[in-house]
Amino acid sequence: MAIATQGTARNYLQRAPSPSGLADVVDLILDKGLVIDAYVRIAVIGIELITIDARIVIASVDTYLRFAEAVNRLDLSETGGADITDLRGGDGGGARRALSGAKDKASDAVEGAKDKVGDVKEKVSGRD
Amino acid sequence: MAVQSPPRPGADDASATGVYCYGVVSARDARPQPRGLGDMPVEPVVHDDLAALASRVPAGTVRARRRDLLSHMDVLSAAFEHGTVLPLRFGTVFENDEALVHDFLAPRHDELAGLLRDLSGQGELRVTAHYREDAILAEVVRESRRIAQLREATRGAAAGHPALIQLGELVVAEVKARTARDSRALLERLRKHALRYEVGEEPVQYELLRASFLVERKRVPKFEAELERFAAEQAGRADVKLTGPLPPHSFVSLSHGGR
């Protein structure tokens, strides 16, 4: 059975025998399957609304503003990151300088980002 | 708009019902089920070595509600436990059992039998992966100096400030670029374990991938292991979900024209 997970301390992959949420069900069922002939009718009431709901396209000013808001709300000290500790408690100038350097360091950081994010998180919470 | 049975000239339609069809199985694998759409029992309609899973629907009352979608899916999933299943599009209704045979099973017999053979021992695996908002946004801020600067500059800016729109646009572009890169990489890893795959067209907000894979049952563990590794690598950054094996909803089609 779960041989696939050997070697990992935790199961990261969520598994489900069948879709549960409405969006997932719609996604799996709707517009799928054998279509026979034109005169066999298909029920469609209400479904357009559901699919539109489930597919918010990322392409409007509203969306941009939502993303901008989300980025501004972001508390980087909680989400971790290579240079975040430098930013904490520094004056504005320090922060600006740290940010300029961030980009160069970022590409190196990406490689081990996942581990590092975990480390930083621990560091931060350990200090607090 | 509700489903109507096709009108049948001259027939007495006072108590008209239709026959809702879920899918096709081989007659050998066909089993009745106690509950289908509208709680009606599901009975196989057999023709030769094929059987259609069908239940009665009162004319004009089938609607595409959540419950109905689930019934459709559940009947097919239950049948899938006994063998290969060819799902029909949701909402397919015939006038009666005879019409089901004469308009569908008989004229399409060879094609349906061929599909059943081709899809034997295979199932659809559905993979969805979503970024965690805070993690992906933090990554974007860390890796783009421009975004980090704009973010600092727009702190406390009035809602709708043009710089905010610019910031959001840059963030969206960065998230999209990551989606493209990550989904390509994941597809590359999964496709070698699959016979076919189909990727969802328009990614929803923070969606890394939404795709279906047609996988041989005996290769499902390898597929799962590959995805498990990806999920472990992405821990904290993206959540990965695997659904199935399911009947091959995304991988069946009939040729059209000529019947």
Side-chain angles (χ1 to χ4, degrees):
Chain A
M1 245 175 62
I3 306 160
T5 63
Q6 70 179 177
T8 56
R10 231 178 84 194
N11 231 345
Y12 292 105
L13 180 62
Q14 307 167 47
R15 289 182 176 82
S18 59
S20 44
L22 181 58
D24 286 348
V25 174
V26 166
D27 212 39
L28 176 75
I29 300 292
L30 230 59
D31 301 329
K32 306 278 179 65
L34 296 175
V35 181
I36 305 164
D37 273 309
Y39 82 93
V40 178
R41 308 287 179 85
I42 308 286
V44 286
I45 188 165
I47 290 299
E48 292 93 339
L49 291 176
I50 296 170
T51 43
I52 289 165
D53 246 18
R55 310 243 161 287
I56 302 162
V57 180
I58 306 174
S60 69
V61 168
D62 273 1
T63 327
Y64 294 153
L65 286 174
R66 236 180 15 246
F67 271 85
E69 233 171 70
V71 161
N72 275 334
R73 249 196 341 256
L74 201 63
D75 183 352
L76 289 179
S77 64
E78 277 177 10
T79 51
D83 294 300
I84 298 314
T85 43
D86 299 340
L87 291 170
R88 304 180 96 228
D91 63 351
R96 210 52 55 95
R97 280 193 298 279
L99 280 169
S100 336
K103 199 186 178 189
D104 308 315
K105 291 181 191 166
S107 44
D108 303 326
V110 184
E111 314 306 321
K114 271 122 254 165
D115 304 326
K116 271 188 194 159
V117 168
D119 293 348
V120 172
K121 240 187 220 166
E122 276 173 27
K123 236 190 278 170
V124 169
S125 55
R127 259 206 241 154
D128 295 340
Chain B
M1 180 172 46
V3 171
Q4 307 268 340
S5 301
R8 184 218 233 151
D12 175 13
D13 286 339
S15 60
T17 59
V19 172
Y20 186 95
C21 190
Y22 303 85
V24 177
V25 299
S26 85
R28 181 169 30 99
D29 298 331
R31 286 170 177 68
Q33 291 185 30
R35 211 170 305 255
L37 224 79
D39 287 340
M40 296 298 277
V42 179
E43 298 286 344
V45 175
V46 177
H47 168 74
D48 203 352
D49 54 347
L50 298 177
L53 300 173
S55 63
R56 304 214 72 82
V57 281
T61 60
V62 177
R63 293 161 65 97
R65 290 167 307 193
R66 177 191 167 118
R67 194 172 3 138
D68 303 321
L69 274 171
L70 286 173
S71 294
H72 180 89
M73 185 180 77
D74 289 346
V75 166
L76 292 168
S77 293
F80 187 59
E81 284 173 20
H82 304 290
T84 311
V85 180
L86 308 177
L88 254 60
R89 175 133 334 168
F90 173 79
T92 308
V93 177
F94 293 88
E95 193 179 349
N96 50 41
D97 288 1
E98 290 71 41
L100 201 171
V101 171
H102 292 126
D103 296 341
F104 179 41
L105 293 183
R108 296 290 193 169
H109 172 274
D110 294 353
E111 207 174 345
L112 292 168
L115 276 175
L116 280 173
R117 263 196 315 275
D118 292 346
L119 291 165
S120 143
Q122 301 168 11
E124 174 168 343
L125 292 177
R126 195 132 180 89
V127 174
T128 49
H130 291 88
Y131 294 118
R132 293 195 178 173
E133 180 178 58
D134 282 3
I136 195 70
L137 293 183
E139 185 181 306
V140 160
V141 173
R142 278 200 309 275
E143 294 177 17
S144 162
R145 184 174 166 181
R146 189 85 198 291
I147 287 175
Q149 284 169 342
L150 264 174
R151 176 173 176 266
E152 289 296 310
T154 55
R155 286 239 157 141
H161 192 284
L164 277 175
I165 297 175
Q166 199 194 345
L167 171 61
E169 211 174 334
L170 286 171
V171 171
V172 166
E174 282 291 325
V175 171
K176 275 189 171 169
R178 278 166 177 71
T179 305
R181 198 170 64 212
D182 293 338
S183 63
R184 208 165 40 233
L186 178 54
L187 273 176
E188 211 47 56
R189 289 166 66 165
L190 293 178
R191 61 195 271 178
K192 56 177 183 267
H193 304 293
L195 298 158
R196 283 152 69 192
Y197 66 95
E198 199 198 77
V199 182
E201 37 350 291
E202 192 74 57
V204 182
Q205 199 171 350
Y206 297 126
E207 194 172 69
L208 191 162
L209 181 72
R210 186 178 77 250
S212 276
F213 299 82
L214 185 67
V215 180
E216 281 180 278
R217 276 182 183 274
K218 58 173 192 260
R219 300 190 68 179
V220 168
K222 286 216 159 138
F223 186 97
E224 278 192 13
E226 188 74 58
L227 194 58
E228 176 75 40
R229 276 194 293 279
F230 179 80
E233 292 161 18
Q234 295 287 325
R237 181 177 184 256
D239 297 308
V240 187
K241 194 169 148 192
L242 174 67
T243 310
L246 301 156
H249 294 276
S250 308
F251 301 101
V252 287
S253 63
L254 290 172
S255 65
H256 278 273
R259 3 182 326 203

